[in-house]
Amino acid sequence: MWSRRWKAAAARLVLIAAALFCTSSIAGAQVGIELLSGVGYHSTGAGPSFLLGAELATTSRTGNFFSGYQESRLALHLSDVFSLDGSASTYTVGVEGTWQRRQGAVQLATEANVHFRYGASGWARSAGIGGGGATGRIRGSFRVDYVENADWVFPWFQKDLNGVAPRGEDKPFYRATANLSALVLPAYNLTWSQEIRWRRPVDERSGNLAMATGPEFRVGIGRLSTQAGVLLSPDGIKPIGQIRYDLREATSRINFQVTAATASLESDGPVVYGWLDFESEGLGFATAVRLEQSESGSLSPAVYFSIQPKF
């Protein structure tokens, strides 16, 4: 049941966002409405999904070469994801914010979001905060999420993957990741990286923790990393290994990531997952794939595909 307390919290959230929009517009920020639309398909779903919505966003860009460049964005999100037969529909309202600063070799970025979703089972919340930075030979990032019902989240954009449960479960969970890498041999373009991942269901006292480390190489405009480590779970300690290729450049319209690991935070079997998206002025394309071994030993692929026309 949607309690009065959460109704009041949602009302305060909207009022705060409206106040920030007004404040930003007075300060000279750009305010606009971006219409959201899309057609998506999930391999384990009953049929295609459709996205209709809008984001009221305020964007501010300040700075110069000497003082550094700074950009911030705050958006009020409203959308509906539905099927043609009317069997499924998810309404979403939320607030999303990002902040970036770049000065010389120093780069900093942070993002946060709070979403309230309404579906067949009632209301569910999700919230997350993340950030990253780079300076000289060192770069790192972190992300923390809380998700109440991941069955209602369709990954139209890469940021939506933060609210998706890999195995399609609808149990609330916490999730956190952190990674740090440093250039150790510039002559050979060799970087050493470390990664920590943690996941725990809300109704359980313990969760799974994975720690891995290994070399990372620059391959073209992307990065190839190989890591080895351990997976700590209530059932014991298990060695893990993983390899990842990441192609992510600010000047490129293509974003591609693929990871293969001997074990995941959700199961003891091997897993392969990846993401590819392409952005143009009039159209967006995205696809996500996760291939994981189930408890019975069979493979259970999950494929997401979406096209988002821009207006």
Side-chain angles (χ1 to χ4, degrees):
M1 181 67 64
W2 182 245
S3 64
R4 293 182 179 179
R5 183 180 64 179
W6 288 113
K7 285 183 179 179
R12 287 195 296 269
L13 187 67
V14 174
L15 289 175
I16 291 173
L20 289 173
F21 284 129
C22 295
T23 303
S24 299
S25 60
I26 294 175
Q30 297 180 353
V31 180
I33 296 178
E34 179 182 353
L35 300 180
L36 304 176
S37 63
V39 179
Y41 176 75
H42 182 195
S43 61
T44 60
S49 298
F50 297 87
L51 168 69
L52 285 178
E55 285 187 350
L56 175 61
T58 173
T59 304
S60 174
R61 298 180 180 90
T62 59
N64 52 56
F65 178 80
F66 300 99
S67 63
Y69 298 93
Q70 181 171 300
E71 179 178 339
S72 60
R73 181 180 186 271
L74 183 65
L76 176 62
H77 178 100
L78 299 170
S79 67
D80 178 24
V81 176
F82 60 94
S83 58
L84 284 181
D85 59 5
S87 60
S89 182
T90 301
Y91 302 96
T92 301
V93 57
V95 174
E96 304 170 355
T98 61
W99 176 86
Q100 299 179 22
R101 179 171 177 79
R102 183 177 73 255
Q103 184 173 11
V106 179
Q107 299 180 16
L108 297 173
T110 185
E111 60 177 332
N113 63 78
V114 178
H115 290 114
F116 298 87
R117 291 184 170 87
Y118 182 79
S121 303
W123 288 92
R125 298 157 293 172
S126 65
I129 183 172
T135 176
R137 301 179 180 180
I138 302 175
R139 61 186 177 91
S141 64
F142 76 94
R143 177 82 195 185
V144 179
D145 291 287
Y146 165 71
V147 180
E148 276 191 349
N149 194 324
D151 280 346
W152 297 348
V153 182
F154 188 96
W156 300 98
F157 309 97
Q158 188 184 27
K159 63 182 180 181
D160 297 330
L161 288 175
N162 297 320
V164 173
R167 304 192 70 177
E169 62 185 28
D170 59 358
K171 297 180 180 179
F173 62 89
Y174 300 103
R175 178 173 51 203
T177 61
N179 62 74
L180 179 68
S181 62
L183 183 62
V184 293
L185 291 177
Y188 296 93
N189 201 19
L190 175 62
T191 300
W192 199 266
S193 62
Q194 302 85 33
E195 182 181 68
I196 298 177
R197 294 179 292 124
W198 172 78
R199 188 178 188 276
R200 180 176 74 84
V202 174
D203 56 356
E204 297 183 11
R205 293 186 177 182
S206 60
N208 294 342
L209 175 67
M211 298 179 291
T213 183
E216 182 178 284
F217 304 91
R218 189 82 176 183
V219 179
I221 60 174
R223 296 177 181 272
L224 177 66
S225 61
T226 57
Q227 296 178 328
V230 294
L231 173 64
L232 308 177
S233 68
D235 298 330
I237 302 176
K238 181 178 181 179
I240 61 171
Q242 65 183 26
I243 182 171
R244 175 186 294 120
Y245 182 75
D246 189 344
L247 191 159
R248 184 186 303 179
E249 289 290 333
T251 58
S252 176
R253 293 183 175 182
I254 298 177
N255 183 10
F256 174 69
Q257 299 177 54
V258 61
T259 301
T262 58
S264 70
L265 293 178
E266 296 79 25
S267 69
D268 294 332
V271 59
V272 178
Y273 54 94
W275 172 269
L276 170 66
D277 68 43
F278 171 79
E279 290 285 343
S280 66
E281 295 181 357
L283 186 68
F285 162 84
T287 181
V289 179
R290 185 179 181 94
L291 185 62
E292 187 172 6
Q293 185 176 0
S294 64
E295 296 179 357
S296 61
S298 61
L299 296 177
S300 54
V303 179
Y304 300 88
F305 174 82
S306 64
I307 297 177
Q308 307 103 32
K310 297 182 180 180
F311 301 97

